[in-house]
Amino acid sequence: EKRMRTIQVVPADTEACASYGTWTRLTDLDPFTGEGWMCWMTEDLCMDQPARVALCRAAAPRPFVVESMKRNEESQTLLACGNGSMVVALARGDVPGSGEVEAFLLSPGEIFVLEPGVWFDVGRGARGPVYCYALSMKQDRPEQFRPLEGEAVCLLCPES
Protein backbone atom coordinates (compact mmCIF):
# COMPACT_ATOMS: atom_id res chain seq x y z
CA GLU A 1 0.00 0.00 0.00
CA LYS A 2 1.24 3.44 -0.93
CA ARG A 3 2.21 5.81 1.90
CA MET A 4 0.30 9.06 1.99
CA ARG A 5 0.41 12.31 3.91
CA THR A 6 -2.85 14.07 4.73
CA ILE A 7 -3.56 17.80 4.56
CA GLN A 8 -6.67 19.86 5.27
CA VAL A 9 -8.34 21.80 2.45
CA VAL A 10 -8.90 25.41 3.52
CA PRO A 11 -11.20 28.03 2.00
CA ALA A 12 -9.37 30.28 -0.45
CA ASP A 13 -8.86 33.90 0.58
CA THR A 14 -6.45 36.71 -0.22
CA GLU A 15 -4.05 36.01 2.65
CA ALA A 16 -4.00 32.20 2.41
CA CYS A 17 -3.37 32.27 -1.36
CA ALA A 18 -0.84 35.14 -1.47
CA SER A 19 2.28 32.98 -1.79
CA TYR A 20 0.88 31.33 -4.94
CA GLY A 21 -0.79 34.22 -6.73
CA THR A 22 -3.83 36.48 -6.59
CA TRP A 23 -7.23 35.26 -5.40
CA THR A 24 -10.33 37.36 -6.10
CA ARG A 25 -14.00 36.90 -5.22
CA LEU A 26 -15.66 38.63 -8.16
CA THR A 27 -18.97 38.99 -6.29
CA ASP A 28 -17.21 41.28 -3.79
CA LEU A 29 -16.89 43.81 -6.63
CA ASP A 30 -19.65 46.16 -7.75
CA PRO A 31 -21.66 44.53 -10.54
CA PHE A 32 -23.14 46.16 -13.57
CA THR A 33 -26.67 45.08 -14.26
CA GLY A 34 -29.41 44.89 -16.81
CA GLU A 35 -32.91 43.54 -16.84
CA GLY A 36 -32.64 40.09 -15.30
CA TRP A 37 -28.84 39.87 -15.15
CA MET A 38 -25.77 40.97 -13.18
CA CYS A 39 -22.12 40.93 -14.23
CA TRP A 40 -19.01 41.18 -12.06
CA MET A 41 -15.70 42.01 -13.71
CA THR A 42 -12.19 42.70 -12.47
CA GLU A 43 -11.37 46.40 -12.45
CA ASP A 44 -8.05 45.88 -14.24
CA LEU A 45 -6.52 43.15 -16.36
CA CYS A 46 -6.23 40.04 -14.20
CA MET A 47 -3.36 38.41 -16.12
CA ASP A 48 -0.21 39.85 -17.63
CA GLN A 49 -0.44 37.95 -20.92
CA PRO A 50 -3.00 36.75 -23.46
CA ALA A 51 -4.35 33.29 -22.73
CA ARG A 52 -6.07 30.23 -24.14
CA VAL A 53 -9.30 29.19 -22.43
CA ALA A 54 -9.92 25.60 -21.36
CA LEU A 55 -13.21 24.24 -20.04
CA CYS A 56 -12.47 21.32 -17.73
CA ARG A 57 -14.77 18.77 -16.14
CA ALA A 58 -13.43 17.92 -12.71
CA ALA A 59 -14.50 14.63 -11.14
CA ALA A 60 -15.08 14.20 -7.42
CA PRO A 61 -13.24 11.00 -6.47
CA ARG A 62 -13.15 9.87 -2.86
CA PRO A 63 -10.70 10.09 -1.29
CA PHE A 64 -9.11 13.17 -2.88
CA VAL A 65 -5.59 11.96 -3.67
CA VAL A 66 -2.91 14.05 -5.41
CA GLU A 67 -0.16 12.02 -7.07
CA SER A 68 1.03 14.43 -9.78
CA MET A 69 1.09 18.14 -10.62
CA LYS A 70 1.98 20.44 -13.51
CA ARG A 71 3.13 24.04 -13.79
CA ASN A 72 3.50 26.81 -16.33
CA GLU A 73 7.03 28.07 -15.84
CA GLU A 74 6.90 31.20 -18.00
CA SER A 75 3.32 32.40 -17.60
CA GLN A 76 0.43 32.81 -15.21
CA THR A 77 -2.52 30.42 -15.05
CA LEU A 78 -6.02 31.54 -14.12
CA LEU A 79 -8.35 29.01 -12.48
CA ALA A 80 -12.09 29.69 -12.12
CA CYS A 81 -15.03 27.62 -10.89
CA GLY A 82 -18.02 27.06 -13.07
CA ASN A 83 -21.06 25.39 -11.55
CA GLY A 84 -19.79 24.30 -8.13
CA SER A 85 -16.99 24.45 -5.58
CA MET A 86 -13.69 22.83 -6.45
CA VAL A 87 -10.53 21.80 -4.64
CA VAL A 88 -7.06 22.57 -6.02
CA ALA A 89 -3.71 21.55 -4.54
CA LEU A 90 -0.68 23.83 -5.01
CA ALA A 91 3.04 23.65 -4.35
CA ARG A 92 6.28 25.54 -4.92
CA GLY A 93 9.75 24.14 -5.60
CA ASP A 94 11.78 22.57 -8.39
CA VAL A 95 9.89 19.27 -8.12
CA PRO A 96 6.20 18.95 -7.17
CA GLY A 97 5.82 17.84 -3.57
CA SER A 98 9.45 18.58 -2.64
CA GLY A 99 8.14 21.29 -0.31
CA GLU A 100 4.83 22.04 1.31
CA VAL A 101 1.63 21.13 -0.54
CA GLU A 102 -1.45 23.20 0.29
CA ALA A 103 -5.04 22.78 -0.88
CA PHE A 104 -7.75 25.39 -1.31
CA LEU A 105 -11.50 25.35 -1.79
CA LEU A 106 -12.58 27.67 -4.63
CA SER A 107 -16.25 28.59 -5.00
CA PRO A 108 -18.20 29.87 -8.00
CA GLY A 109 -17.47 33.56 -8.47
CA GLU A 110 -13.86 33.18 -7.33
CA ILE A 111 -10.77 33.28 -9.55
CA PHE A 112 -7.20 32.40 -8.71
CA VAL A 113 -4.34 33.70 -10.88
CA LEU A 114 -1.32 31.50 -10.20
CA GLU A 115 2.13 33.00 -10.60
CA PRO A 116 4.54 31.36 -13.05
CA GLY A 117 6.23 28.28 -11.61
CA VAL A 118 3.46 27.28 -9.17
CA TRP A 119 2.67 23.55 -9.31
CA PHE A 120 -1.04 22.66 -9.40
CA ASP A 121 -3.08 19.51 -9.76
CA VAL A 122 -6.05 18.90 -12.02
CA GLY A 123 -8.54 19.95 -9.37
CA ARG A 124 -11.70 18.12 -8.38
CA GLY A 125 -15.27 18.85 -7.49
CA ALA A 126 -15.81 19.41 -3.76
CA ARG A 127 -19.32 17.89 -3.65
CA GLY A 128 -19.62 16.26 -7.05
CA PRO A 129 -18.32 16.69 -10.60
CA VAL A 130 -17.95 20.34 -11.63
CA TYR A 131 -16.96 22.38 -14.63
CA CYS A 132 -14.11 24.82 -14.21
CA TYR A 133 -12.04 27.06 -16.44
CA ALA A 134 -8.29 27.36 -16.86
CA LEU A 135 -6.66 30.17 -18.82
CA SER A 136 -3.01 29.92 -19.82
CA MET A 137 -0.71 30.76 -22.70
CA LYS A 138 0.25 27.18 -23.47
CA GLN A 139 -1.94 24.19 -24.23
CA ASP A 140 -2.03 21.65 -21.44
CA ARG A 141 -0.85 18.16 -22.27
CA PRO A 142 -0.98 15.03 -20.08
CA GLU A 143 2.80 14.62 -20.29
CA GLN A 144 3.27 17.94 -18.47
CA PHE A 145 2.18 16.28 -15.21
CA ARG A 146 5.03 15.09 -13.00
CA PRO A 147 4.73 12.67 -10.07
CA LEU A 148 4.96 14.13 -6.58
CA GLU A 149 8.27 13.62 -4.86
CA GLY A 150 7.85 11.30 -1.90
CA GLU A 151 4.37 10.49 -0.66
CA ALA A 152 1.08 11.12 -2.39
CA VAL A 153 -1.17 13.65 -0.65
CA CYS A 154 -4.69 12.94 0.61
CA LEU A 155 -6.86 16.07 0.83
CA LEU A 156 -9.42 16.36 3.63
CA CYS A 157 -12.18 18.57 2.30
CA PRO A 158 -14.73 20.14 4.68
CA GLU A 159 -17.43 19.82 1.98
CA SER A 160 -16.80 16.17 1.14
Side-chain angles (χ1 to χ4, degrees), residues 83-103:
N83 63 329
S85 296
M86 66 180 273
V87 174
V88 63
L90 304 173
R92 289 256 185 208
D94 293 332
V95 179
S98 60
E100 183 178 21
V101 175
E102 294 185 88

Side-chain angles (χ1 to χ4, degrees), residues 12-81:
D13 64 33
T14 303
E15 187 177 325
C17 297
S19 65
Y20 300 103
T22 304
W23 170 88
T24 304
R25 181 181 292 126
L26 294 173
T27 54
D28 285 349
L29 305 173
D30 291 330
F32 55 96
T33 61
E35 191 171 322
W37 60 270
M38 298 175 82
C39 181
W40 295 267
M41 182 178 283
T42 58
E43 294 172 4
D44 295 310
L45 295 177
C46 58
M47 295 176 72
D48 59 11
Q49 83 270 332
R52 297 172 187 259
V53 178
L55 172 64
C56 309
R57 184 176 185 276
R62 298 294 190 272
F64 293 151
V65 178
V66 179
E67 296 180 302
S68 64
M69 293 180 150
K70 72 170 295 283
R71 69 177 171 181
N72 290 318
E73 294 185 60
E74 301 93 32
S75 62
Q76 296 173 315
T77 301
L78 184 146
L79 303 175
C81 294

